[in-house]
Amino acid sequence: MSDAAAWRKAGPDPRPDPRPIALTMGDPHGIGPEITVKVCADPRRRTPVLVIGDPGALARACRATGVPLTVRTVATAAEVGRNAEAGQDAEGPRVPRVLHVLPAGPALPPDLALGTVDARAGAASFAYVRRGIELALAGEVRAITTAPINKEALRLAGLPYPGHTEILAELSGTERYAMMMANDELRTVLVTVHQSLRTAIDALTPERELDIIRLTHQALGPGARIAVAGLNPHAGENGLFGREDLDVIAPAVRAARAEGIDASGPHPADTVFMRARAGEFDAVVAQYHDQGLIPVKYLGLEHGVNITLGLPFVRTSVDHGTAFDLAGTGTADHTSLLTALHHAAELADHSAHS
């Protein structure tokens, strides 16, 4: 089995890493706290978790969801590992009883207006992510998994970030990075992410294309078969429908192949994702946000995972937003967050042994 096939199928490490995964709570006005407590109580969770967030909001989420967890505040990530070794976290077949939370940012008021956009919530969600990055860079956690944040709340808080990816890159000092969306059937990596379609097209360059192909190859390992989607219909039809595929994408594919990377394209975007799903390719490089994410999300939000490539640590996230309409109801599905945790653990193991 190639690295590309094995990267998310790693077996248990005979010497498991005792460090927890940092799970940031997300926007406290959304479903983040509720799916966080649900995933921490789920007996399918196989790795220790340190939640970074607000203890009061998490306690309220326990009540809203009926999850019987005790919210325990800790000062360091190491306390989670010690408690797990003592059996207090009930890892394994028993249902976990304790949620370990490391507070970050000011305490939130008890009368949160759930389901609304709020600058305080935006500032808090940013503080959780920032603390997670600090812990990951210090080597105190194995990886970071993030619950959803709200872009408008960030803006109201005066934070000029369009999403998690840009926060993670800037605060970790990462210049070369990319977003991968993955599920059990399809993996797609984006050349451009959170920008208008008009500016995304202008941002496409052979250098950027090659960089994304390289990052995808580095993430999946030797033997990865990388398909690059074309920008225009029919991948430009030899220049009939625009020259971007000939002048921007094709040169990058040739350069990647010259480096020994198994890249091909540009392929017509209306069929390349189907071919990848059928097993012909291990990942598809997509040119812009919706081109790459519609195929993945169509297969089911509950199983999709957002993975940031190029960071000095592993980071995964859910494939959905803050769902303000569900906040406080206790009904939000935590499957995507659980899947993101599983991917984070497997990627961290793969990274440690590669």
Side-chain angles (χ1 to χ4, degrees):
M1 180 182 293
S2 69
D3 282 356
W7 72 283
R8 57 183 172 79
K9 298 180 181 295
D13 187 346
R15 294 171 297 174
D17 190 334
R19 295 175 299 166
I21 290 176
L23 171 54
T24 60
M25 189 184 79
D27 190 300
H29 283 202
I31 61 171
E34 292 168 52
I35 60 174
T36 294
V37 301
K38 285 185 177 181
V39 84
C40 288
D42 196 314
R44 295 172 293 176
R45 177 172 61 87
R46 300 189 298 266
T47 186
V49 168
L50 170 67
V51 177
I52 303 177
D54 182 80
L58 291 164
R60 288 188 289 275
C62 287
R63 293 192 292 270
T65 57
V67 170
L69 286 178
T70 298
V71 176
R72 177 177 298 158
T73 300
V74 296
T76 67
E79 294 179 54
V80 178
R82 288 196 295 270
N83 289 338
E85 290 173 3
Q88 296 175 30
D89 198 34
E91 297 295 330
R94 295 174 293 164
V95 176
R97 301 187 301 266
V98 176
L99 183 155
H100 298 97
V101 56
L102 180 67
L108 295 168
D111 57 343
L112 292 178
L114 297 179
T116 64
V117 178
D118 191 301
R120 296 171 300 174
S125 63
F126 175 78
Y128 308 150
V129 177
R130 180 174 56 195
R131 187 70 180 110
I133 293 169
E134 292 169 352
L135 292 174
L137 291 176
E140 297 180 35
V141 295
R142 296 172 64 197
I144 301 174
T145 295
T146 57
I149 59 177
N150 183 273
K151 297 175 179 61
E152 188 177 354
L154 288 176
R155 182 181 60 80
L156 289 176
L159 298 163
Y161 300 101
H164 266 122
T165 302
E166 294 79 8
I167 296 173
L168 290 154
E170 180 172 312
L171 297 190
S172 67
T174 301
E175 296 183 358
R176 298 176 58 250
Y177 60 92
M179 175 191 291
M180 173 189 282
M181 299 299 293
N183 56 33
D184 288 339
E185 299 181 75
L186 185 63
R187 281 171 261 172
T188 183
V189 184
L190 303 181
V191 179
T192 61
V193 189
H194 296 122
Q195 57 191 112
S196 72
L197 183 56
R198 185 178 301 278
T199 62
I201 294 172
D202 292 339
L204 299 178
T205 65
E207 294 76 19
R208 176 63 178 167
E209 297 280 345
L210 180 57
D211 205 28
I212 297 301
I213 296 170
R214 286 170 173 160
L215 286 168
T216 305
H217 176 74
Q218 292 167 11
L220 300 184
R225 300 161 300 167
I226 302 169
V228 182
L231 173 69
N232 296 300
H234 302 187
E237 200 76 80
N238 291 318
L240 183 63
F241 302 143
R243 294 198 56 86
E244 291 88 354
D245 297 278
L246 287 173
D247 297 341
V248 177
I249 300 173
V253 173
R254 289 196 295 269
R257 294 188 66 83
E259 296 178 6
I261 298 173
D262 187 358
S264 61
H267 298 281
D270 58 355
T271 56
V272 70
F273 298 99
M274 175 185 65
R275 294 167 64 187
R277 188 184 179 196
E280 188 175 347
F281 307 113
D282 295 303
V284 177
V285 170
Q287 301 304 315
Y288 55 91
H289 185 279
D290 285 11
Q291 183 189 63
L293 298 199
I294 288 173
V296 176
K297 293 190 176 186
Y298 178 77
L299 295 174
L301 290 175
E302 67 275 13
H303 299 295
V305 177
N306 181 336
I307 302 165
T308 307
L309 308 184
L311 297 174
F313 47 79
V314 170
R315 179 264 176 167
T316 66
S317 187
V318 294
D319 187 18
H320 60 73
T322 49
F324 282 160
D325 57 321
L326 296 179
T329 67
T331 61
D333 189 343
H334 68 287
T335 305
S336 181
L337 187 59
L338 181 65
T339 305
L341 274 175
H342 288 169
H343 275 267
E346 290 165 0
L347 283 168
D349 288 343
H350 177 75
S351 177
H353 294 92
S354 61

